[in-house]
Amino acid sequence: MSNSTPASGGVSDDPIRIGTMLFTLVEPHRGHQVAYNRWYERDHFYAGCMIGAYNFSGARFVATAPLKALRQPVGDAALVADPQVGSYLGVYYVLDGHHDEWNRWAVDQVNVLHGAGRMFEHRDHVHTGLYRFEWECRRDEDGVPAELTLDHRFPGMVAVFLEPAAGVTGDQLGAWARDAFLPAALADSPVASVLGFSPLPLLADAPGDVPRDDTAGRVLLLCFVDQEPSGAAADVLAPMGAAAEAAGVGRVLWSSPFVGTVPGTDTYTDQLWAD
């Protein structure tokens, strides 16, 4: 049974609610992937994000070469020019009502880390953005609340970027995904929960190696999956692009399945690229 809910966490008067989210997709330089993975999980995951006030949850994901082969749409360079680029993803949840405080701290902290030589130079930002949490759609009425989706450690996650058609707002596109497409798509599927987000601007003094993308109007979906994500990406979520275009509301700009990293190990570092 599908259940669409507002951004309430499913519990009335719940004080712990997602307000905003940091989505950071990064590509380590070839030959440096093990060192990058160790630096990020042993230093930057904490020093750059998790020690900050109001950053209450975080997780890392990785796209192996077989998962990258399932990215959609094929050959579209709108978000990522090279389909093999964008191997590691960090996702962080920030407490509702505290985005500005956290954002100011985060930019200042990363600039401090740059000055201290604690940033890893052998990597490129592919897409790093801030997003406002708008809604969740659960397959099961009493499924995992939005705020616990990263800590639940689902076996897979699929990130989907939607771009609205001319004359369609991001709110309208998100409402179509939440109300028209997802309830039927999630029923009896391995996709347990989908969270919808809208873009927010980066601060002007954010580090210069973070690209400024034109994300206005886009919708970002994080789709959490009960099993290895390739089947969900191919069978459940891949039809979303055609359905959005048929409805005249937009298109899938980019989607990619991911699995969670295994902290404390170098798992997947030898599986990032097809050649």
Side-chain angles (χ1 to χ4, degrees), residues 72-179:
Q72 297 290 332
V74 176
D76 192 325
L79 188 75
V80 180
D82 183 345
Q84 293 200 67
V85 165
S87 297
Y88 284 97
L89 171 64
V91 176
Y92 302 90
Y93 293 162
V94 178
L95 192 66
D96 190 26
H98 295 281
H99 174 77
D100 290 343
E101 299 158 78
W102 170 84
N103 196 20
R104 182 67 268 162
W105 173 86
V107 170
D108 291 344
Q109 177 72 355
V110 170
N111 286 331
V112 166
L113 294 174
H114 270 286
R118 287 177 62 184
M119 299 298 289
F120 191 86
E121 63 178 333
H122 300 292
R123 56 91 170 91
D124 298 310
H125 282 271
V126 177
H127 175 80
T128 293
L130 300 172
Y131 291 86
R132 177 185 292 110
F133 177 49
E134 301 291 356
W135 48 264
E136 63 179 321
C137 183
R138 302 182 204 164
R139 180 193 59 207
D140 306 316
E141 185 173 357
D142 193 26
V144 176
E147 287 72 18
L148 301 183
T149 47
L150 297 182
D151 293 317
H152 185 72
R153 303 302 181 194
F154 283 95
M157 191 272 286
V158 182
V160 181
F161 285 84
L162 301 174
E163 184 175 63
V168 177
T169 68
D171 287 344
Q172 291 170 326
L173 179 56
W176 171 85
R178 180 192 65 213
D179 301 331

Side-chain angles (χ1 to χ4, degrees), residues 70-73 158 160-162 173 176-177 180-182 184-186 189-191 221 223 229-255:
L70 296 173
R71 287 177 168 173
Q72 297 290 332
V158 182
V160 181
F161 285 84
L162 301 174
L173 179 56
W176 171 85
F181 180 82
L182 288 172
L186 266 56
S189 85
V191 182
L221 306 179
C223 311
S230 59
D235 301 331
V236 180
L237 298 170
M240 186 183 299
E245 292 187 33
V249 293
R251 67 176 183 130
V252 170
L253 184 68
W254 186 82
S255 71

Side-chain angles (χ1 to χ4, degrees), residues 41-60:
E41 72 170 17
R42 301 179 188 192
D43 184 6
H44 195 66
F45 179 80
Y46 298 100
C49 292
M50 293 300 293
I51 65 171
Y54 309 115
N55 188 161
F56 70 88
S57 186
R60 297 181 66 221

Side-chain angles (χ1 to χ4, degrees), residues 10 33 43 48 61-62 68 102 107 127 142 165 186 194 199 202 222 230 248 263 267 273:
Q33 61 269 28
D43 184 6
F61 301 88
V62 59
K68 289 174 182 172
W102 170 84
V107 170
H127 175 80
D142 193 26
L186 266 56
V194 177
L202 297 174
L222 299 185
S230 59
T267 306
W273 304 292

